[in-house]
Amino acid sequence: MLTFLISPFIFLCSFLFERKMDGYNELVLIERQMADSVAEESFRNIKTILSLGAQNKFFSKYMNRVKQGTKKGEKLMSDSGVWYAMNLFSSQFANSVVYLSAILLVMSQRKSYPTELLNEGCIDVITNSVDFCYSAANMTSACRAICDRVDTCWFDSQGPCLVGGNIMMAVLQGISGIGSAVFSIVQLSKSRVAAAFFLEVIDHKDEMVDKKGEKPTSNKGDIVFSDVSFKYKSRDAMILNHLNLTIHENEMVGIVGESGCGKSTILKLLMRLYGPSSGVISWNGVNVEDLSMAWIRDQISYVAQEPVLFSGTIRENLLYGRVDASEEEMVEAAKLVKADGFIRQFPKGYDTYVGELGSSLSGGQKQRIAIARALLRHPRVLVLDEATSALDSQSEEIVQEAMNRIREENKRNGSGLSIVVVAHRLSSIRVCDRI
Protein backbone atom coordinates (compact mmCIF):
# COMPACT_ATOMS: atom_id res chain seq x y z
CA MET A 1 0.00 0.00 0.00
CA LEU A 2 2.85 2.36 0.84
CA THR A 3 4.44 1.74 -2.56
CA PHE A 4 1.18 2.61 -4.31
CA LEU A 5 1.00 5.83 -2.29
CA ILE A 6 4.50 6.80 -3.45
CA SER A 7 3.87 5.94 -7.13
CA PRO A 8 2.00 9.21 -8.00
CA PHE A 9 4.95 11.22 -6.70
CA ILE A 10 7.31 9.19 -8.91
CA PHE A 11 5.12 9.83 -11.95
CA LEU A 12 5.00 13.56 -11.10
CA CYS A 13 8.80 13.79 -10.84
CA SER A 14 9.22 11.92 -14.15
CA PHE A 15 6.72 14.23 -15.90
CA LEU A 16 8.35 17.43 -14.64
CA PHE A 17 11.80 16.10 -15.48
CA GLU A 18 10.67 15.30 -19.03
CA ARG A 19 9.18 18.75 -19.47
CA LYS A 20 12.38 20.47 -18.35
CA MET A 21 14.47 18.24 -20.61
CA ASP A 22 12.13 19.08 -23.50
CA GLY A 23 12.84 22.76 -22.98
CA TYR A 24 16.58 22.14 -22.63
CA ASN A 25 16.85 20.06 -25.81
CA GLU A 26 14.88 22.62 -27.81
CA LEU A 27 17.05 25.41 -26.42
CA VAL A 28 20.25 23.55 -27.33
CA LEU A 29 19.09 23.02 -30.91
CA ILE A 30 18.02 26.63 -31.42
CA GLU A 31 20.98 28.28 -29.69
CA ARG A 32 23.45 25.98 -31.42
CA GLN A 33 21.94 26.84 -34.79
CA MET A 34 22.21 30.55 -34.07
CA ALA A 35 25.82 30.26 -32.87
CA ASP A 36 26.75 28.06 -35.83
CA SER A 37 25.20 30.56 -38.25
CA VAL A 38 27.40 33.33 -36.82
CA ALA A 39 30.50 31.12 -37.15
CA GLU A 40 29.61 30.04 -40.69
CA GLU A 41 28.93 33.62 -41.76
CA SER A 42 32.24 34.75 -40.28
CA PHE A 43 34.32 32.07 -42.00
CA ARG A 44 32.53 32.57 -45.29
CA ASN A 45 33.20 36.31 -45.27
CA ILE A 46 36.57 36.23 -43.54
CA LYS A 47 38.19 38.56 -46.08
CA THR A 48 35.58 41.26 -45.52
CA ILE A 49 35.85 40.88 -41.75
CA LEU A 50 39.63 41.22 -41.88
CA SER A 51 39.39 44.27 -44.14
CA LEU A 52 37.02 45.89 -41.63
CA GLY A 53 39.14 44.90 -38.66
CA ALA A 54 36.00 43.38 -37.13
CA GLN A 55 37.50 40.10 -35.88
CA ASN A 56 36.93 40.92 -32.22
CA LYS A 57 33.41 42.11 -32.88
CA PHE A 58 32.38 38.85 -34.57
CA PHE A 59 34.21 36.82 -31.92
CA SER A 60 32.27 38.68 -29.23
CA LYS A 61 29.05 38.15 -31.17
CA TYR A 62 29.69 34.41 -31.28
CA MET A 63 30.65 34.22 -27.60
CA ASN A 64 27.56 36.20 -26.59
CA ARG A 65 25.40 33.66 -28.43
CA VAL A 66 27.18 30.81 -26.67
CA LYS A 67 27.02 32.46 -23.23
CA GLN A 68 23.36 33.36 -23.69
CA GLY A 69 22.50 29.76 -24.54
CA THR A 70 24.71 28.43 -21.73
CA LYS A 71 23.02 30.63 -19.14
CA LYS A 72 19.56 29.49 -20.16
CA GLY A 73 20.74 25.89 -20.38
CA GLU A 74 22.24 25.96 -16.88
CA LYS A 75 18.92 27.15 -15.44
CA LEU A 76 16.95 24.42 -17.20
CA MET A 77 19.51 21.75 -16.30
CA SER A 78 19.51 22.74 -12.64
CA ASP A 79 15.71 22.53 -12.55
CA SER A 80 15.69 19.21 -14.34
CA GLY A 81 18.45 17.95 -12.02
CA VAL A 82 16.27 18.63 -9.00
CA TRP A 83 13.38 16.65 -10.43
CA TYR A 84 15.69 13.89 -11.60
CA ALA A 85 17.13 13.60 -8.08
CA MET A 86 13.62 13.56 -6.59
CA ASN A 87 12.63 10.85 -9.07
CA LEU A 88 15.63 8.69 -8.12
CA PHE A 89 15.03 9.27 -4.41
CA SER A 90 11.35 8.36 -4.60
CA SER A 91 12.09 5.28 -6.73
CA GLN A 92 14.76 4.02 -4.32
CA PHE A 93 12.56 4.87 -1.33
CA ALA A 94 9.76 2.79 -2.85
CA ASN A 95 12.22 -0.07 -3.35
CA SER A 96 13.27 0.19 0.29
CA VAL A 97 9.67 0.09 1.44
CA VAL A 98 8.99 -3.03 -0.61
CA TYR A 99 12.12 -4.80 0.66
CA LEU A 100 11.37 -3.86 4.27
CA SER A 101 7.77 -5.02 3.94
CA ALA A 102 8.96 -8.31 2.43
CA ILE A 103 11.45 -8.91 5.26
CA LEU A 104 8.87 -8.18 7.95
CA LEU A 105 6.29 -10.39 6.25
CA VAL A 106 8.70 -13.29 5.86
CA MET A 107 9.85 -13.00 9.46
CA SER A 108 6.25 -12.96 10.65
CA GLN A 109 5.25 -15.97 8.55
CA ARG A 110 8.29 -18.20 9.20
CA LYS A 111 9.60 -17.42 12.70
CA SER A 112 7.65 -20.33 14.34
CA TYR A 113 9.44 -23.18 12.53
CA PRO A 114 12.62 -23.27 14.69
CA THR A 115 10.44 -23.38 17.83
CA GLU A 116 8.40 -26.29 16.46
CA LEU A 117 11.58 -28.20 15.68
CA LEU A 118 12.82 -27.62 19.26
CA ASN A 119 9.51 -28.74 20.80
CA GLU A 120 9.56 -32.01 18.81
CA GLY A 121 13.12 -32.68 19.91
CA CYS A 122 14.53 -32.28 16.42
CA ILE A 123 17.13 -29.73 17.59
CA ASP A 124 18.73 -29.18 21.00
CA VAL A 125 19.16 -25.37 20.88
CA ILE A 126 16.73 -22.89 19.36
CA THR A 127 18.10 -20.80 16.49
CA ASN A 128 16.74 -18.68 13.67
CA SER A 129 17.79 -21.31 11.13
CA VAL A 130 16.07 -24.38 9.67
CA ASP A 131 19.33 -25.92 8.44
CA PHE A 132 18.36 -29.10 10.33
CA CYS A 133 15.85 -29.96 7.61
CA TYR A 134 18.63 -30.04 4.98
CA SER A 135 21.51 -31.53 6.99
CA ALA A 136 20.00 -34.34 9.13
CA ALA A 137 20.34 -37.82 7.63
CA ASN A 138 17.73 -39.48 9.87
CA MET A 139 14.74 -37.77 11.42
CA THR A 140 11.47 -38.76 13.04
CA SER A 141 8.17 -38.61 11.24
CA ALA A 142 7.20 -35.53 13.28
CA CYS A 143 10.41 -33.75 12.28
CA ARG A 144 9.90 -34.83 8.67
CA ALA A 145 6.38 -33.32 8.67
CA ILE A 146 7.72 -29.98 9.93
CA CYS A 147 10.52 -30.01 7.37
CA ASP A 148 8.03 -30.77 4.61
CA ARG A 149 6.05 -27.69 5.60
CA VAL A 150 9.26 -25.64 5.68
CA ASP A 151 10.14 -26.80 2.18
CA THR A 152 6.66 -26.04 0.86
CA CYS A 153 6.53 -22.62 2.55
CA TRP A 154 9.96 -21.36 1.44
CA PHE A 155 10.41 -22.76 -2.03
CA ASP A 156 6.99 -23.61 -3.49
CA SER A 157 5.40 -20.72 -5.39
CA GLN A 158 2.00 -21.99 -4.28
CA GLY A 159 3.02 -22.26 -0.63
CA PRO A 160 1.09 -20.52 2.13
CA CYS A 161 4.02 -18.29 3.09
CA LEU A 162 4.24 -16.62 -0.32
CA VAL A 163 0.69 -15.27 -0.36
CA GLY A 164 1.04 -11.69 -1.70
CA GLY A 165 4.73 -12.22 -2.45
CA ASN A 166 4.28 -12.26 -6.24
CA ILE A 167 2.28 -9.07 -6.09
CA MET A 168 4.98 -7.38 -4.02
CA MET A 169 7.68 -8.47 -6.44
CA ALA A 170 5.61 -7.18 -9.36
CA VAL A 171 5.25 -3.82 -7.63
CA LEU A 172 8.99 -3.78 -6.92
CA GLN A 173 9.84 -4.45 -10.55
CA GLY A 174 7.31 -1.88 -11.72
CA ILE A 175 8.75 0.84 -9.48
CA SER A 176 12.27 0.00 -10.68
CA GLY A 177 11.02 0.13 -14.27
CA ILE A 178 9.71 3.65 -13.73
CA GLY A 179 13.15 4.76 -12.61
CA SER A 180 14.81 3.10 -15.60
CA ALA A 181 12.24 4.65 -17.94
CA VAL A 182 13.60 8.10 -17.10
CA PHE A 183 16.59 7.48 -19.36
CA SER A 184 14.27 6.48 -22.18
CA ILE A 185 12.23 9.60 -21.52
CA VAL A 186 15.36 11.73 -22.03
CA GLN A 187 16.11 10.10 -25.38
CA LEU A 188 12.47 10.31 -26.43
CA SER A 189 12.45 13.99 -25.55
CA LYS A 190 15.52 14.64 -27.72
CA SER A 191 14.01 12.72 -30.62
CA ARG A 192 10.68 14.51 -30.34
CA VAL A 193 12.26 17.97 -30.38
CA ALA A 194 14.49 17.09 -33.34
CA ALA A 195 11.58 15.53 -35.22
CA ALA A 196 9.48 18.67 -34.69
CA PHE A 197 11.85 20.70 -36.89
CA PHE A 198 11.76 18.08 -39.65
CA LEU A 199 7.98 17.72 -39.47
CA GLU A 200 7.60 21.49 -39.76
CA VAL A 201 9.42 21.34 -43.09
CA ILE A 202 7.70 18.13 -44.23
CA ASP A 203 4.23 19.49 -43.41
CA HIS A 204 4.90 22.78 -45.20
CA LYS A 205 2.47 23.24 -48.05
CA ASP A 206 4.11 24.52 -51.21
CA GLU A 207 1.89 27.12 -52.81
CA MET A 208 3.59 26.71 -56.18
CA VAL A 209 2.17 23.44 -57.50
CA ASP A 210 1.23 22.27 -60.96
CA LYS A 211 -2.46 22.65 -61.74
CA LYS A 212 -2.59 21.00 -65.16
CA GLY A 213 1.11 20.37 -65.74
CA GLU A 214 0.93 20.88 -69.50
CA LYS A 215 4.17 20.42 -71.49
CA PRO A 216 3.90 22.13 -74.88
CA THR A 217 5.67 20.52 -77.82
CA SER A 218 7.10 23.92 -78.80
CA ASN A 219 8.73 26.56 -76.60
CA LYS A 220 8.23 29.34 -79.15
CA GLY A 221 6.08 32.39 -78.59
CA ASP A 222 5.99 35.56 -76.53
CA ILE A 223 5.93 35.77 -72.76
CA VAL A 224 3.33 38.30 -71.66
CA PHE A 225 2.72 39.88 -68.24
CA SER A 226 -0.89 41.15 -68.28
CA ASP A 227 -1.94 43.54 -65.51
CA VAL A 228 0.29 41.68 -63.01
CA SER A 229 0.43 42.81 -59.39
CA PHE A 230 2.48 41.18 -56.66
CA LYS A 231 3.35 41.54 -52.99
CA TYR A 232 5.37 39.35 -50.66
CA LYS A 233 3.45 37.93 -47.73
CA SER A 234 6.03 39.29 -45.33
CA ARG A 235 5.46 42.85 -46.59
CA ASP A 236 2.47 45.12 -46.76
CA ALA A 237 3.51 47.21 -49.77
CA MET A 238 2.84 46.08 -53.33
CA ILE A 239 6.06 45.41 -55.25
CA LEU A 240 4.45 45.33 -58.70
CA ASN A 241 1.32 47.29 -59.56
CA HIS A 242 -0.58 46.35 -62.75
CA LEU A 243 2.57 45.54 -64.71
CA ASN A 244 2.19 44.97 -68.46
CA LEU A 245 5.28 43.58 -70.16
CA THR A 246 5.90 41.50 -73.29
CA ILE A 247 9.11 39.56 -73.88
CA HIS A 248 9.21 38.75 -77.57
CA GLU A 249 10.95 35.76 -79.05
CA ASN A 250 14.58 36.50 -80.05
CA GLU A 251 14.45 39.80 -78.23
CA MET A 252 16.89 41.20 -75.68
CA VAL A 253 15.06 43.18 -73.03
CA GLY A 254 16.76 45.38 -70.45
CA ILE A 255 15.08 46.09 -67.12
CA VAL A 256 16.41 48.99 -65.06
CA GLY A 257 15.21 50.77 -61.97
CA GLU A 258 16.11 51.79 -58.46
CA SER A 259 16.78 49.19 -55.79
CA GLY A 260 13.62 47.58 -54.43
CA CYS A 261 11.41 48.55 -57.37
CA GLY A 262 10.74 44.90 -58.33
CA LYS A 263 13.29 44.08 -61.04
CA SER A 264 14.33 40.75 -59.53
CA THR A 265 10.73 40.04 -58.60
CA ILE A 266 9.81 40.03 -62.30
CA LEU A 267 12.45 37.34 -62.86
CA LYS A 268 11.14 35.26 -59.95
CA LEU A 269 7.63 35.42 -61.37
CA LEU A 270 9.00 34.48 -64.78
CA MET A 271 10.65 31.36 -63.32
CA ARG A 272 7.51 30.48 -61.32
CA LEU A 273 9.25 30.81 -57.98
CA TYR A 274 6.23 32.89 -56.99
CA GLY A 275 2.79 33.37 -58.42
CA PRO A 276 1.25 36.80 -59.13
CA SER A 277 -1.17 38.25 -56.59
CA SER A 278 -3.35 39.27 -59.50
CA GLY A 279 -3.13 39.34 -63.26
CA VAL A 280 -1.94 36.69 -65.71
CA ILE A 281 1.45 35.61 -67.06
CA SER A 282 1.17 33.70 -70.33
CA TRP A 283 3.61 31.82 -72.57
CA ASN A 284 2.53 31.75 -76.20
CA GLY A 285 -1.03 32.48 -75.09
CA VAL A 286 -1.13 29.76 -72.39
CA ASN A 287 -1.43 30.75 -68.73
CA VAL A 288 1.82 29.68 -67.04
CA GLU A 289 -0.23 28.32 -64.13
CA ASP A 290 -1.45 25.62 -66.52
CA LEU A 291 2.08 24.74 -67.64
CA SER A 292 4.41 22.32 -65.91
CA MET A 293 6.84 24.20 -63.66
CA ALA A 294 9.56 21.70 -64.54
CA TRP A 295 8.98 22.44 -68.24
CA ILE A 296 9.13 26.21 -67.66
CA ARG A 297 12.38 25.98 -65.70
CA ASP A 298 13.89 23.72 -68.35
CA GLN A 299 13.44 26.60 -70.81
CA ILE A 300 15.13 29.19 -68.60
CA SER A 301 18.76 29.69 -67.57
CA TYR A 302 19.33 32.05 -64.67
CA VAL A 303 22.59 33.77 -63.73
CA ALA A 304 22.58 35.81 -60.51
CA GLN A 305 24.66 38.81 -59.51
CA GLU A 306 26.57 36.64 -57.06
CA PRO A 307 27.57 33.58 -59.11
CA VAL A 308 26.87 30.26 -57.46
CA LEU A 309 29.47 27.53 -57.89
CA PHE A 310 29.28 24.24 -56.04
CA SER A 311 32.11 22.34 -54.37
CA GLY A 312 33.76 20.23 -57.03
CA THR A 313 35.64 20.75 -60.28
CA ILE A 314 35.07 23.28 -63.03
CA ARG A 315 33.92 20.41 -65.25
CA GLU A 316 31.31 19.30 -62.72
CA ASN A 317 30.00 22.85 -62.33
CA LEU A 318 29.66 23.32 -66.08
CA LEU A 319 27.89 19.98 -66.55
CA TYR A 320 25.30 20.92 -63.94
CA GLY A 321 23.90 23.02 -66.78
CA ARG A 322 23.31 19.92 -68.91
CA VAL A 323 24.42 16.54 -67.64
CA ASP A 324 24.37 14.86 -71.06
CA ALA A 325 26.51 17.54 -72.74
CA SER A 326 29.55 16.27 -74.63
CA GLU A 327 33.11 17.40 -73.99
CA GLU A 328 33.05 19.47 -77.19
CA GLU A 329 29.82 21.25 -76.21
CA MET A 330 31.17 22.02 -72.75
CA VAL A 331 34.40 23.46 -74.12
CA GLU A 332 32.49 25.44 -76.78
CA ALA A 333 30.30 27.05 -74.08
CA ALA A 334 33.43 28.03 -72.15
CA LYS A 335 35.01 29.46 -75.30
CA LEU A 336 31.94 31.62 -76.00
CA VAL A 337 32.59 33.63 -72.83
CA LYS A 338 36.40 33.41 -73.20
CA ALA A 339 36.67 31.15 -70.14
CA ASP A 340 38.51 28.32 -71.87
CA GLY A 341 41.78 30.26 -71.85
CA PHE A 342 42.12 30.83 -68.12
CA ILE A 343 40.69 27.36 -67.34
CA ARG A 344 43.45 25.65 -69.33
CA GLN A 345 46.07 27.73 -67.51
CA PHE A 346 45.27 25.84 -64.31
CA PRO A 347 47.47 22.74 -63.78
CA LYS A 348 44.44 20.46 -63.88
CA GLY A 349 42.45 22.45 -66.44
CA TYR A 350 38.75 21.61 -66.34
CA ASP A 351 39.37 19.21 -63.44
CA THR A 352 40.52 22.05 -61.18
CA TYR A 353 38.76 22.05 -57.81
CA VAL A 354 36.95 25.38 -57.32
CA GLY A 355 36.68 25.19 -53.53
CA GLU A 356 33.63 25.89 -51.43
CA LEU A 357 31.39 28.39 -53.24
CA GLY A 358 34.16 28.81 -55.84
CA SER A 359 36.50 30.39 -53.29
CA SER A 360 39.64 29.50 -55.29
CA LEU A 361 38.48 31.58 -58.29
CA SER A 362 38.18 35.32 -58.78
CA GLY A 363 34.79 36.99 -59.03
CA GLY A 364 35.11 37.46 -62.79
CA GLN A 365 36.19 33.85 -63.35
CA LYS A 366 33.24 32.56 -61.33
CA GLN A 367 30.87 34.79 -63.28
CA ARG A 368 32.13 33.56 -66.66
CA ILE A 369 31.82 29.91 -65.61
CA ALA A 370 28.29 30.57 -64.36
CA ILE A 371 27.31 32.20 -67.67
CA ALA A 372 28.94 29.37 -69.65
CA ARG A 373 26.94 26.87 -67.59
CA ALA A 374 23.75 28.77 -68.37
CA LEU A 375 24.53 28.85 -72.11
CA LEU A 376 25.31 25.13 -72.13
CA ARG A 377 21.64 24.46 -71.40
CA HIS A 378 20.64 25.98 -74.76
CA PRO A 379 17.83 27.86 -73.01
CA ARG A 380 14.80 29.44 -74.60
CA VAL A 381 15.11 32.37 -72.14
CA LEU A 382 18.38 33.58 -70.63
CA VAL A 383 17.95 35.63 -67.47
CA LEU A 384 20.88 37.78 -66.32
CA ASP A 385 20.30 39.42 -62.94
CA GLU A 386 23.23 41.85 -62.71
CA ALA A 387 25.24 38.90 -64.06
CA THR A 388 28.00 41.01 -65.63
CA SER A 389 28.53 43.30 -62.64
CA ALA A 390 31.70 41.41 -61.58
CA LEU A 391 33.24 41.66 -65.07
CA ASP A 392 35.45 44.40 -66.40
CA SER A 393 34.39 46.29 -69.53
CA GLN A 394 36.40 44.06 -71.88
CA SER A 395 35.01 40.85 -70.37
CA GLU A 396 31.50 42.28 -70.43
CA GLU A 397 31.84 42.99 -74.16
CA ILE A 398 33.02 39.41 -74.69
CA VAL A 399 29.92 38.05 -72.93
CA GLN A 400 27.63 40.35 -74.92
CA GLU A 401 29.25 39.26 -78.18
CA ALA A 402 28.76 35.62 -77.13
CA MET A 403 25.07 36.20 -76.50
CA ASN A 404 24.65 37.93 -79.84
CA ARG A 405 26.36 35.04 -81.63
CA ILE A 406 24.06 32.55 -79.90
CA ARG A 407 21.00 34.61 -80.84
CA GLU A 408 22.03 34.74 -84.47
CA GLU A 409 22.82 31.02 -84.49
CA ASN A 410 19.42 30.24 -82.97
CA LYS A 411 17.71 32.33 -85.62
CA ARG A 412 19.48 30.41 -88.37
CA ASN A 413 18.49 27.11 -86.74
CA GLY A 414 14.90 28.22 -86.37
CA SER A 415 15.01 28.31 -82.60
CA GLY A 416 14.59 31.38 -80.42
CA LEU A 417 16.48 32.90 -77.52
CA SER A 418 15.03 35.70 -75.47
CA ILE A 419 17.40 37.47 -73.09
CA VAL A 420 16.22 39.41 -70.05
CA VAL A 421 18.89 41.63 -68.51
CA VAL A 422 18.54 43.34 -65.15
CA ALA A 423 21.32 45.88 -64.70
CA HIS A 424 22.32 49.24 -63.31
CA ARG A 425 25.23 49.94 -65.65
CA LEU A 426 24.39 51.54 -68.98
CA SER A 427 27.05 49.43 -70.70
CA SER A 428 25.14 46.26 -69.74
CA ILE A 429 21.90 47.28 -71.46
CA ARG A 430 22.96 49.48 -74.37
CA VAL A 431 22.89 46.48 -76.73
CA CYS A 432 19.34 45.55 -75.70
CA ASP A 433 16.55 45.73 -78.28
CA ARG A 434 14.25 47.32 -75.75
CA ILE A 435 14.74 48.87 -72.33
Side-chain angles (χ1 to χ4, degrees):
M1 180 60 70
L2 287 174
T3 57
F4 283 114
L5 292 176
I6 297 172
S7 296
F9 185 70
I10 297 176
F11 285 119
L12 175 64
C13 293
S14 299
F15 170 75
L16 294 175
F17 173 72
E18 180 190 5
R19 190 168 68 175
K20 292 295 182 182
M21 286 304 299
D22 255 351
Y24 173 75
N25 291 326
E26 185 175 0
L27 174 72
V28 167
L29 284 175
I30 294 175
E31 293 295 333
R32 181 180 295 174
Q33 284 180 344
M34 297 178 72
D36 288 349
S37 66
V38 174
E40 182 182 358
E41 183 182 38
S42 301
F43 284 117
R44 182 177 296 174
N45 302 296
I46 187 66
K47 294 178 182 178
T48 304
I49 292 174
L50 291 174
S51 68
L52 296 172
Q55 303 96 306
N56 292 332
K57 183 175 181 180
F58 276 86
F59 178 76
S60 299
K61 183 179 180 181
Y62 176 78
M63 290 305 299
N64 288 336
R65 286 291 186 192
V66 173
K67 290 178 181 178
Q68 187 177 12
T70 302
K71 186 176 181 181
K72 294 178 182 178
E74 287 175 349
K75 177 66 170 63
L76 287 171
M77 283 302 291
S78 62
D79 292 344
S80 63
V82 170
W83 291 114
Y84 180 61
M86 293 297 292
N87 181 75
L88 289 180
F89 170 77
S90 56
S91 297
Q92 296 305 319
F93 181 73
N95 291 346
S96 303
V97 170
V98 172
Y99 279 120
L100 180 61
S101 301
I103 292 170
L104 294 176
L105 181 59
V106 168
M107 290 178 62
S108 174
Q109 291 175 334
R110 303 172 183 179
K111 66 182 181 180
S112 63
Y113 289 125
T115 303
E116 292 183 30
L117 291 172
L118 179 65
N119 292 338
E120 293 294 336
C122 302
I123 57 177
D124 297 327
V125 180
I126 189 167
T127 65
N128 292 326
S129 173
V130 291
D131 290 344
F132 167 80
C133 293
Y134 306 101
S135 59
N138 298 310
M139 63 181 69
T140 64
S141 59
C143 293
R144 170 58 62 190
I146 295 173
C147 286
D148 288 342
R149 287 191 291 117
V150 169
D151 190 56
T152 302
C153 179
W154 283 47
F155 300 106
D156 190 342
S157 62
Q158 301 300 323
C161 295
L162 292 178
V163 174
N166 290 340
I167 297 176
M168 291 175 63
M169 290 305 297
V171 172
L172 175 61
Q173 293 175 358
I175 297 298
S176 300
I178 293 175
S180 301
V182 170
F183 296 100
S184 300
I185 290 173
V186 173
Q187 299 303 319
L188 180 63
S189 172
K190 290 181 179 179
S191 302
R192 189 172 64 182
V193 172
F197 290 96
F198 286 104
L199 291 174
E200 185 178 352
V201 176
I202 293 172
D203 294 338
H204 174 73
K205 301 298 183 183
D206 192 352
E207 295 182 0
M208 301 303 297
V209 295
D210 287 333
K211 293 184 177 179
K212 295 183 179 180
E214 296 180 4
K215 296 181 180 180
T217 56
S218 173
N219 59 11
K220 292 181 175 296
D222 297 341
I223 301 171
V224 181
F225 287 69
S226 301
D227 200 32
V228 171
S229 297
F230 177 79
K231 67 179 290 293
Y232 293 100
K233 288 188 175 181
S234 58
R235 306 179 192 175
D236 294 330
M238 296 294 291
I239 304 299
L240 300 176
N241 285 289
H242 306 289
L243 171 69
N244 291 284
L245 170 67
T246 300
I247 302 172
H248 298 292
E249 188 175 349
N250 288 318
E251 181 182 38
M252 188 172 182
V253 179
I255 300 176
V256 295
E258 61 184 8
S259 297
C261 69
K263 302 185 299 297
S264 296
T265 301
I266 295 174
L267 306 183
K268 293 174 183 177
L269 293 174
L270 176 63
M271 294 184 289
R272 292 284 288 149
L273 299 178
Y274 294 96
S277 302
S278 63
V280 175
I281 304 174
S282 61
W283 191 311
N284 197 25
V286 180
N287 191 332
V288 294
E289 294 184 355
D290 297 333
L291 298 176
S292 166
M293 285 190 294
W295 182 87
I296 291 175
R297 291 166 187 170
D298 280 343
Q299 314 305 315
I300 300 174
S301 282
Y302 173 76
V303 183
Q305 179 178 7
E306 181 61 33
V308 177
L309 296 185
F310 303 95
S311 296
T313 64
I314 294 176
R315 181 188 306 277
E316 290 171 342
N317 273 277
L318 287 171
L319 291 179
Y320 284 135
R322 186 157 59 91
V323 179
D324 60 348
S326 65
E327 181 79 10
E328 292 75 15
E329 290 176 316
M330 179 190 71
V331 173
E332 182 61 28
K335 287 181 177 180
L336 283 173
V337 293
K338 297 294 190 289
D340 181 70
F342 75 77
I343 292 175
R344 293 191 183 277
Q345 290 178 358
F346 295 126
K348 293 185 179 180
Y350 283 86
D351 294 316
T352 300
Y353 185 72
V354 302
E356 185 179 2
L357 300 176
S359 57
S360 65
L361 303 178
S362 69
Q365 289 173 335
K366 288 192 293 184
Q367 197 69 280
R368 289 201 210 181
I369 292 174
I371 295 173
R373 181 177 59 193
L375 296 176
L376 185 59
R377 287 169 58 89
H378 297 308
R380 165 63 178 79
V381 180
L382 178 62
V383 176
L384 303 177
D385 190 358
E386 293 280 0
T388 58
S389 60
L391 302 178
D392 54 40
S393 300
Q394 183 179 2
S395 299
E396 186 177 29
E397 289 181 5
I398 292 172
V399 172
Q400 291 174 348
E401 290 175 5
M403 289 187 292
N404 287 331
R405 285 201 302 271
I406 294 173
R407 290 175 63 193
E408 294 301 325
E409 182 180 347
N410 287 346
K411 287 180 181 179
R412 289 194 300 269
N413 297 334
S415 57
L417 172 65
S418 299
I419 302 176
V420 181
V421 181
V422 169
H424 285 101
R425 293 195 306 193
L426 177 61
S427 59
S428 300
I429 58 173
R430 62 186 178 186
V431 295
C432 291
D433 301 318
R434 186 159 51 95
I435 299 173

